[in-house]
Amino acid sequence: MSRRPFSSRVPAELGGNRLSQAIASARSAGEPLIDLTQSNPTRVDLEYPDYLLSALADERGLKYEPAPFGLVAARQAVARDYARRGVEVSSDHIALTASTSEAYSLLFKLLADAGDLVLAPRPSYPLFDHLARLDAVALRYYDLEYHDGWTIDMASVESAMLSERTRAILLVSPNNPTGSFVSRQELTALTALCAPRGIAIVADEVFADYQIRPGACVDAGRVMDAREGLVFSLGGLSKTVGLPQIKLGWMAVGGAASLVADALARLELICDTYLSVSTPIQAAAAELLTRGAAVRKQIQTRIAANYRALADLIQGVPSCTLLVADGGWSAIVRVPSIGTEEDLVVDLVSKGVIVHPGYFFDLPHESFLVVSLLPAEDQFVEGIRRVLRHIESL
Ligand SMILES: Cc1ncc(COP(=O)(O)O)c(C=O)c1O
């Protein structure tokens, strides 16, 4: 066969897995499925106010004024949103992006050469593999450990940092799917490790508004408080106001003043090369952030109610344990290891319910199931009942 003209940034194998095949065949047979992997807020029966998008017609959207970091008014709106959460950031230190995923890509370009290392938590968000690979950086993992709550295994961070080529560490707070916030003590320890080694801290705070344990948001470490090293905080409309389709994210830059200034100058060149956020969205940003609070409130209520319902239902099934989650949009259930996780989730499709296996998020061993806390309460409860009934029947 002749040489094929593709880079190795995209994996050679693109086929689906057994779970996606089982879902596709159940759907094509017309079987109704309760989707407990649904993490798209626009598909879970939330009420979006009908005036929500009217700001997109703002006439400022008719004028193109290219600005690498985005329109000042939009960046000020994002700074006010940080202030709402008690975090002080200057709008001059904020850059708008089309999504958090894009923010990662811009930061990898800023911080790493091809082949450099970026550290990511395990378990965590599966998209990191693709995000890193598409920007030609290599991922190394550090571990989160569970003892009635998740903590960062600092020894695994230190050993992952041994390479001179380590450029950045990714934190997700609260993390997807563990629901664990990075604590103040952890952040202090990480800053002490990273700053002298010239390793940047990139904190993905997209779920920062969503606590399950009361007080968890207030107790969490705040990366923007750092005054040494270089830190970034990532956020976006997709989670904070449940509008992933709008495509507006951002990053805030903090740390030692001289590093911040250098980072902003370099980032400006990168952002100026793409100018990816559309003007109507920037013009609407302030209104979307304010009006979207109504959606955020519903999501906060939904995840808390579903987590409580899950805890209640699991109490009746001694072979299953709900792991403690402080926040976020998902929950992890430890289930008996009778077969493989993959067999279990495929069997569950035949019972009319879709859940993620733990290995999808690199949970340390089998068997865990990961469920989204977003589905409408009645669907969620029915889906969990089906899962538990099936496990009890094994
Ligand atoms: C931890 C985390 N970061 C980022 C994102 C994606 O955010 P965005 O839609 O802004 O790219 C997700 C989506 O699920 C996520 O779980």
Side-chain angles (χ1 to χ4, degrees), residues 354-365:
I354 310 173
V355 294
H356 273 140
Y359 75 79
F360 193 79
F361 299 87
D362 263 340
L363 272 131
H365 53 78

Side-chain angles (χ1 to χ4, degrees), residues 47 116 134 229 232 273 358:
E47 272 181 40
D116 280 346
L134 290 174
F232 300 87
T273 306

Side-chain angles (χ1 to χ4, degrees), residues 20-234:
S20 60
Q21 285 154 8
I23 296 168
S25 57
R27 288 206 167 121
S28 66
E31 289 164 24
L33 295 174
I34 295 180
D35 187 357
L36 296 186
T37 66
Q38 185 57 266
S39 59
N40 176 348
T42 67
R43 303 195 63 177
V44 291
D45 295 334
L46 298 171
E47 272 181 40
Y48 284 83
D50 48 15
Y51 54 80
L52 191 60
L53 299 187
S54 55
L56 286 169
D58 188 300
E59 62 183 27
R60 284 177 296 170
L62 280 172
K63 224 188 214 142
Y64 187 36
E65 288 172 9
F69 289 161
L71 298 180
V72 174
R75 288 154 56 203
Q76 286 171 339
V78 173
R80 283 196 298 280
D81 200 63
Y82 272 101
R84 171 181 65 77
R85 292 196 281 112
V87 178
E88 208 185 306
V89 190
S90 158
S91 58
D92 296 339
H93 292 182
I94 291 170
L96 304 183
T97 62
S99 64
T100 318
S101 295
E102 191 195 43
Y104 279 115
S105 174
L106 300 174
L107 287 178
F108 292 157
K109 289 171 175 56
L110 173 73
L111 300 168
D113 288 314
D116 280 346
L117 306 185
V118 169
L119 312 188
R122 182 173 56 192
S124 194
Y125 181 44
L127 205 64
F128 285 144
D129 287 337
H130 294 302
L131 290 170
R133 193 168 172 157
L134 290 174
D135 269 297
V137 301
L139 279 190
R140 288 286 176 280
Y141 294 97
Y142 63 93
D143 295 318
L144 307 184
E145 286 184 329
Y146 187 77
H147 303 284
D148 295 329
W150 293 90
T151 52
I152 296 175
D153 172 5
M154 285 295 170
S156 72
V157 175
E158 284 187 59
S159 68
M161 269 180 192
L162 286 176
S163 166
E164 287 282 308
R165 297 201 69 177
T166 305
R167 315 301 313 170
I169 180 167
L170 311 182
L171 314 178
V172 187
S173 184
N175 185 31
N176 172 9
T178 60
S180 48
F181 287 82
V182 176
S183 72
R184 285 172 203 219
Q185 295 88 320
E186 286 171 333
L187 203 50
T188 307
L190 288 168
T191 310
L193 283 173
C194 290
R197 292 173 169 81
I199 296 173
I201 296 181
V202 177
D204 179 334
E205 301 183 319
V206 294
F207 293 111
D209 289 299
Y210 300 100
Q211 63 180 18
I212 291 171
R213 177 176 64 76
C217 287
V218 176
D219 295 346
R222 292 166 176 198
V223 76
M224 292 310 291
D225 289 345
R227 293 293 170 263
E228 44 176 333
L230 183 61
V231 301
F232 300 87
S233 156
L234 311 187

Side-chain angles (χ1 to χ4, degrees), residues 365-387:
H365 53 78
E366 302 216 338
S367 289
F368 295 95
L369 299 178
V370 177
V371 294
S372 166
L373 296 169
L374 275 194
E377 279 104 317
D378 55 339
Q379 288 279 298
F380 182 81
V381 166
E382 176 53 26
I384 294 296
R385 286 209 166 104
R386 289 184 194 181
V387 171

